[in-house]
Amino acid sequence: MTYFLITFAAFGLVFFAMAIGYIFQRKTIAGSCGGLGAVGIEKACDCDDPCESRKKKIAKAEAKRQMLEENRII
């Protein structure tokens, strides 16, 4: 039980420190630099032959992109 209370207090202090930092700096918590691109993965699904549901998502995104390009006012 002692370890639980010490751990709970440590997490509480961390959350409190993050809250104080947010109040004074008004910055949002940001992710790490690079993400998957930093380890050489260009996309979330890095397989050569994606599954059917992934192919449908890719086709839908491509159709939406083409529609937006066609409707763009220049």
Side-chain angles (χ1 to χ4, degrees):
M1 185 69 174
T2 304
Y3 289 119
F4 174 75
L5 293 175
I6 292 171
T7 304
F8 186 76
F11 275 100
L13 288 173
V14 169
F15 287 136
F16 179 73
M18 289 172 56
I20 295 299
Y22 173 76
I23 289 170
F24 285 120
Q25 294 183 359
R26 293 287 185 198
K27 288 185 177 180
T28 59
I29 297 173
S32 63
C33 297
L36 291 176
V39 292
I41 298 174
E42 296 298 323
K43 55 186 177 178
C45 177
D46 201 27
C47 49
D48 296 328
D49 186 28
C51 60
E52 291 299 318
S53 63
R54 183 72 180 160
K55 287 179 184 177
K56 288 178 185 177
K57 288 179 185 178
I58 292 170
K60 186 177 179 181
E62 181 65 25
K64 185 176 181 180
R65 187 188 63 79
Q66 286 178 353
M67 182 187 70
L68 289 174
E69 283 184 5
E70 291 172 0
N71 293 332
R72 187 179 340 161
I73 298 173
I74 298 177

